[in-house]
mmCIF file of all heavy atoms in Angstrom:
data_model
loop_
_atom_site.group_PDB
_atom_site.id
_atom_site.type_symbol
_atom_site.label_atom_id
_atom_site.label_comp_id
_atom_site.label_asym_id
_atom_site.label_seq_id
_atom_site.Cartn_x
_atom_site.Cartn_y
_atom_site.Cartn_z
ATOM 1 N N HIS A 7 0.063 -6.231 4.486
ATOM 2 C CA HIS A 7 -0.545 -6.329 5.821
ATOM 3 C C HIS A 7 -0.059 -5.200 6.722
ATOM 4 O O HIS A 7 -0.850 -4.591 7.459
ATOM 5 C CB HIS A 7 -0.214 -7.680 6.455
ATOM 6 C CG HIS A 7 -1.097 -8.794 5.995
ATOM 7 N ND1 HIS A 7 -2.341 -9.037 6.536
ATOM 8 C CD2 HIS A 7 -0.919 -9.739 5.036
ATOM 9 C CE1 HIS A 7 -2.895 -10.076 5.944
ATOM 10 N NE2 HIS A 7 -2.050 -10.526 5.022
ATOM 11 N N ARG A 8 1.236 -4.886 6.681
ATOM 12 C CA ARG A 8 1.777 -3.835 7.548
ATOM 13 C C ARG A 8 1.218 -2.465 7.171
ATOM 14 O O ARG A 8 0.978 -1.619 8.050
ATOM 15 C CB ARG A 8 3.303 -3.813 7.467
ATOM 16 C CG ARG A 8 3.966 -5.012 8.131
ATOM 17 C CD ARG A 8 5.433 -4.734 8.434
ATOM 18 N NE ARG A 8 6.210 -4.544 7.217
ATOM 19 C CZ ARG A 8 6.829 -5.531 6.567
ATOM 20 N NH1 ARG A 8 6.735 -6.780 7.031
ATOM 21 N NH2 ARG A 8 7.533 -5.283 5.490
ATOM 22 N N VAL A 9 1.010 -2.221 5.874
ATOM 23 C CA VAL A 9 0.437 -0.942 5.439
ATOM 24 C C VAL A 9 -0.937 -0.743 6.053
ATOM 25 O O VAL A 9 -1.273 0.344 6.553
ATOM 26 C CB VAL A 9 0.364 -0.886 3.897
ATOM 27 C CG1 VAL A 9 -0.517 0.285 3.444
ATOM 28 C CG2 VAL A 9 1.745 -0.760 3.292
ATOM 29 N N TYR A 10 -1.755 -1.791 6.068
ATOM 30 C CA TYR A 10 -3.102 -1.667 6.626
ATOM 31 C C TYR A 10 -3.088 -1.637 8.158
ATOM 32 O O TYR A 10 -3.921 -0.970 8.781
ATOM 33 C CB TYR A 10 -3.971 -2.817 6.124
ATOM 34 C CG TYR A 10 -4.537 -2.557 4.744
ATOM 35 C CD1 TYR A 10 -3.785 -2.835 3.611
ATOM 36 C CD2 TYR A 10 -5.805 -2.021 4.585
ATOM 37 C CE1 TYR A 10 -4.288 -2.601 2.336
ATOM 38 C CE2 TYR A 10 -6.330 -1.767 3.321
ATOM 39 C CZ TYR A 10 -5.564 -2.057 2.203
ATOM 40 O OH TYR A 10 -6.063 -1.798 0.952
ATOM 41 N N GLN A 11 -2.135 -2.350 8.744
ATOM 42 C CA GLN A 11 -2.044 -2.342 10.205
ATOM 43 C C GLN A 11 -1.627 -0.972 10.721
ATOM 44 O O GLN A 11 -2.168 -0.460 11.700
ATOM 45 C CB GLN A 11 -1.055 -3.405 10.673
ATOM 46 C CG GLN A 11 -1.571 -4.827 10.550
ATOM 47 C CD GLN A 11 -0.511 -5.853 10.932
ATOM 48 O OE1 GLN A 11 0.649 -5.510 11.171
ATOM 49 N NE2 GLN A 11 -0.922 -7.123 10.980
ATOM 50 N N LYS A 12 -0.655 -0.342 10.031
ATOM 51 C CA LYS A 12 -0.123 0.952 10.465
ATOM 52 C C LYS A 12 -0.845 2.127 9.823
ATOM 53 O O LYS A 12 -0.515 3.279 10.112
ATOM 54 C CB LYS A 12 1.366 1.040 10.140
ATOM 55 C CG LYS A 12 2.218 -0.004 10.855
ATOM 56 C CD LYS A 12 3.685 0.162 10.479
ATOM 57 C CE LYS A 12 4.559 -0.866 11.190
ATOM 58 N NZ LYS A 12 6.003 -0.711 10.824
ATOM 59 N N ARG A 13 -1.804 1.825 8.942
ATOM 60 C CA ARG A 13 -2.529 2.869 8.207
ATOM 61 C C ARG A 13 -1.547 3.777 7.461
ATOM 62 O O ARG A 13 -1.728 5.000 7.363
ATOM 63 C CB ARG A 13 -3.387 3.708 9.161
ATOM 64 C CG ARG A 13 -4.253 2.906 10.122
ATOM 65 C CD ARG A 13 -5.300 2.106 9.402
ATOM 66 N NE ARG A 13 -6.271 2.946 8.700
ATOM 67 C CZ ARG A 13 -7.251 2.474 7.910
ATOM 68 N NH1 ARG A 13 -7.357 1.156 7.707
ATOM 69 N NH2 ARG A 13 -8.095 3.297 7.320
ATOM 70 N N ASP A 14 -0.507 3.166 6.908
ATOM 71 C CA ASP A 14 0.537 3.915 6.223
ATOM 72 C C ASP A 14 0.161 4.119 4.755
ATOM 73 O O ASP A 14 0.899 3.732 3.831
ATOM 74 C CB ASP A 14 1.863 3.150 6.333
ATOM 75 C CG ASP A 14 3.043 3.953 5.812
ATOM 76 O OD1 ASP A 14 2.904 5.174 5.660
ATOM 77 O OD2 ASP A 14 4.107 3.343 5.534
ATOM 78 N N PHE A 15 -0.998 4.761 4.531
ATOM 79 C CA PHE A 15 -1.495 4.923 3.175
ATOM 80 C C PHE A 15 -0.896 6.129 2.458
ATOM 81 O O PHE A 15 -1.161 6.350 1.285
ATOM 82 C CB PHE A 15 -3.020 5.068 3.190
ATOM 83 C CG PHE A 15 -3.719 3.872 3.770
ATOM 84 C CD1 PHE A 15 -4.674 4.021 4.761
ATOM 85 C CD2 PHE A 15 -3.407 2.587 3.336
ATOM 86 C CE1 PHE A 15 -5.327 2.920 5.299
ATOM 87 C CE2 PHE A 15 -4.058 1.474 3.855
ATOM 88 C CZ PHE A 15 -5.016 1.639 4.851
ATOM 89 N N GLY A 16 -0.079 6.921 3.167
ATOM 90 C CA GLY A 16 0.509 8.103 2.541
ATOM 91 C C GLY A 16 1.867 7.857 1.926
ATOM 92 O O GLY A 16 2.430 8.757 1.298
ATOM 93 N N ASN A 17 2.421 6.656 2.090
ATOM 94 C CA ASN A 17 3.722 6.338 1.491
ATOM 95 C C ASN A 17 3.563 6.260 -0.029
ATOM 96 O O ASN A 17 2.961 5.333 -0.567
ATOM 97 C CB ASN A 17 4.223 5.013 2.059
ATOM 98 C CG ASN A 17 5.648 4.716 1.628
ATOM 99 O OD1 ASN A 17 6.024 4.886 0.477
ATOM 100 N ND2 ASN A 17 6.464 4.257 2.578
ATOM 101 N N GLN A 18 4.123 7.265 -0.732
ATOM 102 C CA GLN A 18 3.904 7.371 -2.175
ATOM 103 C C GLN A 18 4.525 6.218 -2.958
ATOM 104 O O GLN A 18 3.941 5.739 -3.938
ATOM 105 C CB GLN A 18 4.483 8.707 -2.677
ATOM 106 C CG GLN A 18 3.842 9.939 -2.041
ATOM 107 C CD GLN A 18 2.360 10.049 -2.360
ATOM 108 O OE1 GLN A 18 1.991 10.281 -3.501
ATOM 109 N NE2 GLN A 18 1.519 9.901 -1.353
ATOM 110 N N SER A 19 5.680 5.746 -2.555
ATOM 111 C CA SER A 19 6.350 4.641 -3.259
ATOM 112 C C SER A 19 5.525 3.365 -3.159
ATOM 113 O O SER A 19 5.298 2.671 -4.160
ATOM 114 C CB SER A 19 7.751 4.424 -2.689
ATOM 115 O OG SER A 19 8.568 5.545 -2.921
ATOM 116 N N LEU A 20 5.070 3.056 -1.937
ATOM 117 C CA LEU A 20 4.278 1.837 -1.755
ATOM 118 C C LEU A 20 2.911 1.966 -2.429
ATOM 119 O O LEU A 20 2.384 1.000 -2.985
ATOM 120 C CB LEU A 20 4.110 1.540 -0.264
ATOM 121 C CG LEU A 20 5.373 1.089 0.484
ATOM 122 C CD1 LEU A 20 5.072 0.858 1.960
ATOM 123 C CD2 LEU A 20 5.917 -0.193 -0.147
ATOM 124 N N LYS A 21 2.339 3.165 -2.366
ATOM 125 C CA LYS A 21 1.043 3.377 -2.998
ATOM 126 C C LYS A 21 1.135 3.132 -4.509
ATOM 127 O O LYS A 21 0.263 2.487 -5.105
ATOM 128 C CB LYS A 21 0.547 4.795 -2.719
ATOM 129 C CG LYS A 21 -0.838 5.071 -3.301
ATOM 130 C CD LYS A 21 -1.310 6.473 -2.940
ATOM 131 C CE LYS A 21 -2.709 6.733 -3.512
ATOM 132 N NZ LYS A 21 -3.208 8.111 -3.182
ATOM 133 N N CYS A 22 2.202 3.613 -5.127
ATOM 134 C CA CYS A 22 2.386 3.413 -6.564
ATOM 135 C C CYS A 22 2.501 1.918 -6.881
ATOM 136 O O CYS A 22 1.857 1.432 -7.824
ATOM 137 C CB CYS A 22 3.641 4.154 -7.025
ATOM 138 S SG CYS A 22 3.994 3.975 -8.782
ATOM 139 N N LYS A 23 3.293 1.202 -6.108
ATOM 140 C CA LYS A 23 3.496 -0.223 -6.360
ATOM 141 C C LYS A 23 2.194 -1.002 -6.191
ATOM 142 O O LYS A 23 1.824 -1.823 -7.054
ATOM 143 C CB LYS A 23 4.561 -0.763 -5.421
ATOM 144 C CG LYS A 23 4.749 -2.275 -5.492
ATOM 145 C CD LYS A 23 5.828 -2.743 -4.530
ATOM 146 C CE LYS A 23 5.951 -4.265 -4.537
ATOM 147 N NZ LYS A 23 7.045 -4.734 -3.633
ATOM 148 N N TYR A 24 1.485 -0.765 -5.092
ATOM 149 C CA TYR A 24 0.289 -1.570 -4.825
ATOM 150 C C TYR A 24 -0.893 -1.159 -5.703
ATOM 151 O O TYR A 24 -1.703 -2.012 -6.078
ATOM 152 C CB TYR A 24 -0.069 -1.497 -3.338
ATOM 153 C CG TYR A 24 0.824 -2.383 -2.509
ATOM 154 C CD1 TYR A 24 1.857 -1.854 -1.757
ATOM 155 C CD2 TYR A 24 0.653 -3.769 -2.519
ATOM 156 C CE1 TYR A 24 2.697 -2.677 -1.011
ATOM 157 C CE2 TYR A 24 1.484 -4.591 -1.781
ATOM 158 C CZ TYR A 24 2.507 -4.044 -1.041
ATOM 159 O OH TYR A 24 3.337 -4.869 -0.325
ATOM 160 N N PHE A 25 -0.970 0.102 -6.082
ATOM 161 C CA PHE A 25 -2.023 0.478 -7.029
ATOM 162 C C PHE A 25 -1.770 -0.165 -8.392
ATOM 163 O O PHE A 25 -2.719 -0.531 -9.102
ATOM 164 C CB PHE A 25 -2.120 1.996 -7.145
ATOM 165 C CG PHE A 25 -3.037 2.623 -6.123
ATOM 166 C CD1 PHE A 25 -3.092 2.122 -4.813
ATOM 167 C CD2 PHE A 25 -3.850 3.681 -6.437
ATOM 168 C CE1 PHE A 25 -3.937 2.689 -3.867
ATOM 169 C CE2 PHE A 25 -4.708 4.254 -5.500
ATOM 170 C CZ PHE A 25 -4.745 3.759 -4.210
ATOM 171 N N ALA A 26 -0.514 -0.309 -8.768
ATOM 172 C CA ALA A 26 -0.193 -1.016 -10.019
ATOM 173 C C ALA A 26 -0.596 -2.481 -9.911
ATOM 174 O O ALA A 26 -1.127 -3.068 -10.861
ATOM 175 C CB ALA A 26 1.289 -0.887 -10.331
ATOM 176 N N LEU A 27 -0.367 -3.086 -8.736
ATOM 177 C CA LEU A 27 -0.798 -4.462 -8.512
ATOM 178 C C LEU A 27 -2.316 -4.577 -8.498
ATOM 179 O O LEU A 27 -2.883 -5.541 -9.038
ATOM 180 C CB LEU A 27 -0.210 -4.980 -7.201
ATOM 181 C CG LEU A 27 1.273 -5.357 -7.216
ATOM 182 C CD1 LEU A 27 1.794 -5.572 -5.789
ATOM 183 C CD2 LEU A 27 1.502 -6.621 -8.045
ATOM 184 N N PHE A 28 -2.996 -3.599 -7.878
ATOM 185 C CA PHE A 28 -4.457 -3.620 -7.874
ATOM 186 C C PHE A 28 -4.994 -3.544 -9.314
ATOM 187 O O PHE A 28 -5.979 -4.215 -9.658
ATOM 188 C CB PHE A 28 -5.013 -2.448 -7.063
ATOM 189 C CG PHE A 28 -4.669 -2.478 -5.596
ATOM 190 C CD1 PHE A 28 -4.689 -1.310 -4.831
ATOM 191 C CD2 PHE A 28 -4.299 -3.669 -4.972
ATOM 192 C CE1 PHE A 28 -4.387 -1.337 -3.485
ATOM 193 C CE2 PHE A 28 -3.977 -3.694 -3.619
ATOM 194 C CZ PHE A 28 -4.011 -2.529 -2.878
ATOM 195 N N ALA A 29 -4.355 -2.722 -10.134
ATOM 196 C CA ALA A 29 -4.793 -2.584 -11.527
ATOM 197 C C ALA A 29 -4.687 -3.912 -12.255
ATOM 198 O O ALA A 29 -5.626 -4.346 -12.944
ATOM 199 C CB ALA A 29 -3.952 -1.518 -12.235
ATOM 200 N N MET A 30 -3.557 -4.590 -12.105
ATOM 201 C CA MET A 30 -3.370 -5.876 -12.766
ATOM 202 C C MET A 30 -4.336 -6.912 -12.214
ATOM 203 O O MET A 30 -4.887 -7.734 -12.960
ATOM 204 C CB MET A 30 -1.927 -6.341 -12.613
ATOM 205 C CG MET A 30 -0.927 -5.456 -13.318
ATOM 206 S SD MET A 30 0.690 -6.219 -13.423
ATOM 207 C CE MET A 30 0.330 -7.591 -14.503
#
């Protein structure tokens, strides 16, 4: 929720984690 609220889509560590979750 905080990533979308702050538009923090450039954080590479979080992007890797959540894209892995999206894949699963």
Side-chain angles (χ1 to χ4, degrees):
H7 278 277
R8 290 199 295 269
V9 167
Y10 278 84
Q11 287 176 353
K12 298 180 179 180
R13 311 295 296 176
D14 188 17
F15 300 130
N17 188 316
Q18 300 297 292
S19 296
L20 290 179
K21 182 178 181 180
C22 179
K23 174 180 176 178
Y24 282 103
F25 272 38
L27 284 168
F28 296 158
M30 295 193 66

